[in-house]
Amino acid sequence: MTNFIEERRVILSFDDVELAADTAGRSEGVDVTLNLVGGELSLVRIENRQQGTVFGDTVAGLIMPRKGRVNFLGKEWSQLAPDTANGLRGRIGRVFPQGSWVGHLSVLENIL
């Protein structure tokens, strides 16, 4: 019998990625290796807000890493046509630091 986790699809993978510096070029690059499988929830805490933005933009294929590959739904962002990449970005939910949460809803309800 196959392991249940092996049957689930890898949604997002960072393969030996070095994130770019923040938009002002002030922060150091950050190395990331990550596989996020369907049904998992991952919370990434990044103290530097600018670096958090760089991470989110890299996840969405808006900026390319200094090195390594970022795959979303099995497709490498850097290899996609712009229309295809934009279509895939529409499947990504993103929470921003301020103004994203509805105060009277629970965390679960906000995420859903």
Side-chain angles (χ1 to χ4, degrees):
M1 179 181 278
T2 307
N3 186 336
F4 177 71
I5 293 208
E6 291 173 6
E7 294 176 4
R8 295 188 297 172
R9 183 177 184 187
V10 174
I11 303 300
L12 174 69
S13 68
F14 275 47
D15 184 22
D16 196 28
V17 166
E18 182 180 341
L19 296 178
D22 69 28
T23 53
R26 292 183 305 245
S27 66
E28 297 178 16
V30 176
D31 293 325
V32 180
T33 298
L34 168 77
N35 284 313
L36 188 60
V37 177
E40 291 182 335
L41 172 66
S42 181
L43 176 64
V44 178
R45 181 178 177 178
I46 300 173
E47 295 291 331
N48 177 315
R49 184 174 290 186
Q50 287 293 326
Q51 193 65 34
T53 298
V54 169
F55 179 78
D57 288 349
T58 304
V59 166
L62 294 170
I63 58 175
M64 295 301 124
R66 288 181 179 166
K67 70 171 188 159
R69 295 183 326 200
V70 179
N71 294 308
F72 180 69
L73 296 176
K75 299 178 184 345
E76 186 176 348
W77 284 121
S78 65
Q79 303 299 314
L80 297 175
D83 287 344
T84 302
N86 286 334
L88 286 173
R89 285 184 194 107
R91 302 183 72 179
I92 298 173
R94 188 167 174 182
V95 176
F96 295 91
Q98 297 176 347
S100 298
W101 298 102
V102 179
H104 68 278
L105 298 178
S106 71
V107 172
L108 177 62
E109 291 167 325
N110 270 283
I111 290 172
L112 294 174

